[in-house]
């Protein structure tokens, strides 16, 4: 059986620190894993299980009155039944779930994530302003840079962990996971996207102002565990 190939696409890796862009040729003809075939009955059953699970447990419907969930079932179920492979079925489910307009909802088939809902999200930082604010950046590793202000405030930027995107579990001071609960910021920053310029980063400036309220003589360096 022949393996499906990705459609030709340009894949570029941008390094914002060095301001360089690298072309990644591996994605141009990267083979997709073979997708197992499915039947009309199995596809319909899988679709119904997903639809019913969201209908029963998805709490955000009360905040999304514009979503006609029953109407989406009528629209997408015939397409799911027509799917010939598990990948085709997953693609139908992913397209339907994108209509929820929820950044936290996505579909994964094996190791591959299918495109989910997205929207423009302005970056709440200005990397160009960092060095002007905290001083010269030092590179300890390809994915870690740091700096220290003239009055002893440290800055660390961890871009990746072990060559992968950072993954961590956010906890409150008592060790309780914040996932699904959120947290109110201790310092509210009323900044607009246009406030972030190559010369200014309002979030970084507010953090430094907060840290500098502690007398320098009382600041204690962090200890490595």
């Amino acid at each position: 059986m022949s393996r499906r190939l990705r459609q030709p696409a340009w894949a570029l890796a941008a390094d914002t620190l060095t301001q360089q862009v690298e072309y990644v040729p591996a994605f141009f003809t990267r083979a997709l894993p073979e997708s197992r075939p499915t039947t009309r009955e199995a596809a319909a059953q899988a679709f119904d299980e997903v639809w019913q699970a969201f209908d029963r447990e998805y709490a955000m419907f009360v905040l999304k009155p514009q979503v006609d969930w029953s109407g989406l079932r009528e629209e997408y179920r015939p397409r799911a039944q027509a799917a010939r492979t598990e990948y085709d079925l997953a693609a139908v489910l992913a397209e339907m779930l994108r209509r929820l307009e929820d950044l936290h909802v996505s579909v994964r088939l094996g190791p591959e994530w299918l495109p989910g809902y997205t929207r423009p999200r302005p970056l709440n930082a200005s990397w160009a302003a960092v060095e002007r604010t905290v001083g010269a950046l030092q590179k300890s590793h390809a994915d870690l840079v740091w700096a220290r202000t003239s009055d002893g405030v440290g800055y660390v930027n961890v871009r990746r962990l072990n060559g992968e995107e950072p993954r961590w579990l956010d906890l409150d001071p008592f060790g309780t996971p914040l996932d699904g609960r959120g947290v109110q910021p201790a310092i509210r920053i009323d900044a607009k996207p246009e406030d972030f310029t190559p010369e200014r980063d309002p979030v970084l400036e507010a953090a430094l102002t907060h840290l500098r309220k502690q007398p320098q003589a009382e600041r204690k360096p962090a200890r490595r565990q």
Side-chain angles (χ1 to χ4, degrees), residues 207-222:
L208 291 172
T209 299
H210 176 72
L211 292 172
R212 284 167 174 157
K213 291 180 180 179
Q214 182 180 20
Q216 187 170 2
E218 298 179 7
R219 299 175 191 169
K220 298 180 181 180

Side-chain angles (χ1 to χ4, degrees), residues 144-156:
L144 187 149
V145 296
W146 63 275
R148 181 180 297 164
T149 65
S150 58
D151 58 344
V153 178
Y155 170 85
V156 177

Side-chain angles (χ1 to χ4, degrees), residues 40-172:
R40 181 180 180 87
E41 293 74 18
Q45 180 180 352
F47 178 91
D48 289 341
E49 289 177 358
V50 172
W51 188 92
Q52 291 168 8
F54 273 84
D55 187 60
R56 181 176 61 252
E57 301 177 9
Y58 186 62
M60 300 299 290
F61 280 130
V62 295
L63 301 178
K64 300 176 181 289
Q66 75 279 12
V67 176
D68 181 1
W69 188 236
S70 296
L72 291 179
R73 181 180 187 275
E74 298 303 317
E75 178 181 348
Y76 284 95
R77 193 174 191 274
R79 292 177 54 185
Q81 289 177 303
R84 296 185 177 182
T85 67
E86 291 181 349
Y87 186 90
D88 295 336
L89 172 60
V92 173
L93 290 170
E95 182 178 334
M96 179 181 71
L97 294 176
R98 283 198 294 271
R99 302 278 287 274
L100 296 176
E101 298 185 353
D102 190 330
L103 294 169
H104 298 89
V105 174
S106 56
V107 174
R108 186 178 72 176
L109 180 63
E112 183 164 355
W113 291 91
L114 280 75
Y117 170 73
T118 187
R119 58 176 171 78
R121 287 175 285 175
L123 181 66
N124 62 341
S126 173
W127 304 125
V130 169
E131 195 160 13
R132 293 181 174 87
T133 304
V134 300
L137 297 175
Q138 310 294 322
K139 180 178 289 189
S140 296
H141 184 271
D143 296 321
L144 187 149
V145 296
W146 63 275
R148 181 180 297 164
T149 65
S150 58
D151 58 344
V153 178
Y155 170 85
V156 177
N157 183 346
V158 181
R159 301 174 60 206
R160 296 174 185 265
L161 299 175
N162 296 326
E164 298 180 356
E165 292 296 332
R167 299 176 183 176
W168 50 73
L169 179 64
D170 292 319
L171 306 174
D172 66 14

